[in-house]
Amino acid sequence: MPTTFYKKLSETFTFLFFIWLMFFCTFTLGRYPQEGILWLLEQLNQFLATILPQGLLLDFISNGVVNGVGSVLSFLPNILILFFFMYIFEESGYLTHVAALLDHLMHKIGLHGNSVVPLLMGFGCNVPAILATKTIPEFKRRVLTMLLIPFMSCSARLPILVLLVGTFFPQHPILVIFGLYALSIVMAILTAILLDKVFFKTPIDLTPVEVLPLQKPKIKNVLRLTWDAGYEYLKKIGTVVLIAMMAIWFLSNFPQNDSSVYSSAHRLAAVQPPSPYSSTEAEPQPNGDNTYLACFGRFIEPALRPLGFDWKMSVCLTTGLAAKEFIVGTMAILYSSGEDNLENPHIGTQLRNSGVFTIPVVLSFLVFAMLYMPCVATIYAIKRESGSWKWALFSVVYSIALAWGVAFVVFRVALLF
């Protein structure tokens, strides 16, 4: 018995070390090539400013295309590092050993050990992780696993974490990242216990997890799979993200007021967000910005104001419903600072200088972004694999409600300190 205990303890610490190493390399080593990409974007913006006249065209190319799309592109190195580690774990057969290690714990929360592999895959992308639940023989356990996978922070949320944590918590980024991932995992565990008691009252299949022998991963295969993941990310940036950022720029610039100037930032600056520290009703907003996006943002802002969010943050989270990558790109457009943006296009600098993102607000935003509803592709995958829209819609409603509640508590507690 003692030998088995110490063996499991050793395997647990080994697993935690590998997870820490993956995050360390993703957020620390990935910062250097990311800064190189940002430098290239800065040079491109300065070049555009020399060949194009001041006006809507320059603002569209600089803020709408270069900064909107480039802000998402700059996180490609972090994405590649994350997938590199994930594919090493997969190719070596290590994931099955982790599944066997956590099998007993999975039974405690109403899951089978086979659920571990799809859940871990969810840190890369939720969609293939949901497809991987086919390995779980029992239908109810399969559906329960599908509902938990969105709590695993996928690579699309990675740019949000890297941006906000790197900007506002530069002293302890890995600690904050670990805390956020731990929070999402705890929420997944509590959700599993709750849903198991309410909806899935059936005995758990105690069949042992099939463990594959550990083998040396073929680096050629790992690099090929990593390249494929990077290519898909670039293809998404060049199509879906590009179109979305162009649309967001248009909506944030039109209709133009008679007194408006070429840059959306000058108009957006006229709208002061409510103070996140005020417990009273916010003062009426000036109506100097009547763009489509501003009107929509003010319409949904009251629902998110208790979390400390202004209308711009509300719009960013709304665009993230389609794909989480849109959040960073939308930030780059809405929080740009006009001509200063050409000299320093780093979105982190723009957010820090905005004066809106205090530490309580940042923590609340991070928690909400980690927990709220999965992207459209994930929702459809849940519907397809579960055979019903019921569970897909449940995932949407439940995750939004949970994200709002947890973010509210985090925001209010953070204000105390």
Side-chain angles (χ1 to χ4, degrees):
M1 180 65 107
T3 304
T4 304
F5 171 77
Y6 287 119
K7 181 182 178 181
K8 287 191 174 183
L9 185 64
S10 174
E11 291 175 346
T12 301
F13 278 111
T14 302
F15 170 64
L16 292 176
F17 170 76
F18 283 146
I19 296 298
W20 174 87
L21 181 64
M22 179 178 69
F23 287 142
F24 175 81
C25 293
T26 299
F27 294 100
T28 303
L29 299 183
R31 183 178 72 245
Y32 299 104
Q34 181 193 18
E35 291 176 350
I37 295 175
L38 291 172
W39 180 84
L40 291 175
L41 294 175
E42 178 183 349
Q43 302 305 309
L44 178 57
N45 267 333
Q46 292 179 359
F47 173 72
L48 291 172
T50 61
I51 64 173
L52 294 175
Q54 298 290 335
L56 279 174
L57 178 61
L58 175 61
D59 190 61
F60 169 71
I61 297 177
S62 176
N63 288 332
V65 178
V66 175
N67 292 330
V69 177
S71 61
V72 182
L73 176 64
S74 65
F75 296 99
L76 177 61
N78 308 89
I79 299 293
L80 292 176
I81 294 174
L82 177 68
F83 274 107
F84 178 78
F85 275 92
M86 291 299 296
Y87 287 128
I88 283 183
F89 294 154
E90 185 177 332
E91 288 288 304
S92 65
Y94 183 63
L95 290 183
T96 61
H97 287 257
V98 176
L101 175 66
L102 301 178
D103 187 36
H104 182 68
L105 176 62
M106 291 294 103
H107 293 167
K108 296 290 185 181
I109 61 174
L111 295 173
H112 188 267
N114 285 333
S115 298
V116 173
V117 174
L119 289 171
L120 290 177
M121 290 177 62
F123 288 110
C125 181
N126 287 171
V127 175
I130 289 173
L131 299 180
T133 58
K134 292 178 180 178
T135 59
I136 304 172
E138 190 182 350
F139 176 75
K140 288 188 176 181
R141 305 301 159 188
R142 193 187 316 157
V143 172
L144 179 55
T145 305
M146 292 180 203
L147 297 177
L148 299 183
I149 286 174
F151 288 104
M152 305 298 108
S153 183
C154 64
S155 60
R157 288 184 173 98
L158 191 61
I160 310 168
L161 298 178
V162 174
L163 170 63
L164 294 180
V165 174
T167 301
F168 295 98
F169 303 96
Q171 303 299 323
H172 307 285
I174 304 300
L175 180 62
V176 176
I177 292 295
F178 242 96
L180 289 169
Y181 273 88
L183 175 64
S184 64
I185 292 173
V186 169
M187 291 299 105
I189 292 174
L190 295 178
T191 298
I193 296 173
L194 173 64
L195 297 184
D196 180 54
K197 300 296 183 184
V198 176
F199 297 113
F200 306 105
K201 301 177 181 179
T202 56
I204 301 173
D205 183 7
L206 299 180
T207 305
V209 176
E210 180 183 358
V211 179
L212 300 177
L214 287 175
Q215 59 182 2
K216 184 178 179 181
K218 296 181 180 179
I219 298 300
K220 183 178 179 180
N221 290 344
V222 172
L223 293 177
R224 178 180 56 80
L225 291 169
T226 304
W227 169 264
D228 290 342
Y231 175 75
E232 290 298 322
Y233 187 73
L234 287 174
K235 188 166 67 173
K236 189 175 185 179
I237 290 175
T239 54
V240 179
V241 174
L242 174 61
I243 295 173
M245 294 304 103
M246 293 168 64
I248 290 169
W249 180 90
F250 175 84
L251 294 173
S252 66
N253 279 268
F254 293 94
Q256 295 243 314
N257 301 322
D258 294 337
S259 59
S260 64
V261 292
Y262 80 92
S263 174
S264 62
H266 292 286
R267 294 194 312 279
L268 295 177
V271 183
Q272 297 298 327
S275 171
Y277 295 94
S278 176
S279 59
T280 60
E281 289 294 324
E283 294 296 326
Q285 299 283 7
N287 56 7
D289 187 344
N290 294 317
T291 61
Y292 298 119
L293 210 59
C295 293
F296 173 74
R298 293 196 198 100
F299 175 74
I300 63 174
E301 179 189 4
L304 296 175
R305 189 181 299 160
L307 309 183
F309 304 160
D310 67 349
W311 70 263
K312 299 180 191 177
M313 298 180 206
S314 303
V315 168
C316 292
L317 291 169
T318 302
T319 61
L321 297 178
K324 295 300 179 285
E325 295 93 342
F326 293 172
I327 294 179
V328 171
T330 307
M331 282 182 170
I333 293 175
L334 293 184
Y335 288 97
S336 61
S337 57
E339 296 176 358
D340 294 339
N341 191 46
L342 300 178
E343 299 178 2
N344 194 342
H346 196 308
I347 178 59
T349 303
Q350 307 297 334
L351 297 181
R352 193 164 46 239
N353 294 340
S354 70
V356 178
F357 283 85
T358 61
I359 295 301
V361 172
V362 172
L363 288 174
S364 177
F365 192 92
L366 284 168
V367 168
F368 193 92
M370 288 282 285
L371 297 178
Y372 87 125
M373 68 170 280
C375 66
V376 173
T378 302
I379 295 170
Y380 182 73
I382 294 175
K383 180 266 175 187
R384 186 173 59 182
E385 294 302 313
S386 66
S388 171
W389 278 109
K390 176 180 68 175
W391 294 115
L393 295 177
F394 175 83
S395 176
V396 171
V397 175
Y398 176 81
S399 61
I400 291 178
L402 180 66
W404 197 99
V406 177
F408 178 81
V409 172
V410 169
F411 177 63
R412 292 301 167 182
V413 171
L415 286 178
L416 299 177
F417 297 95

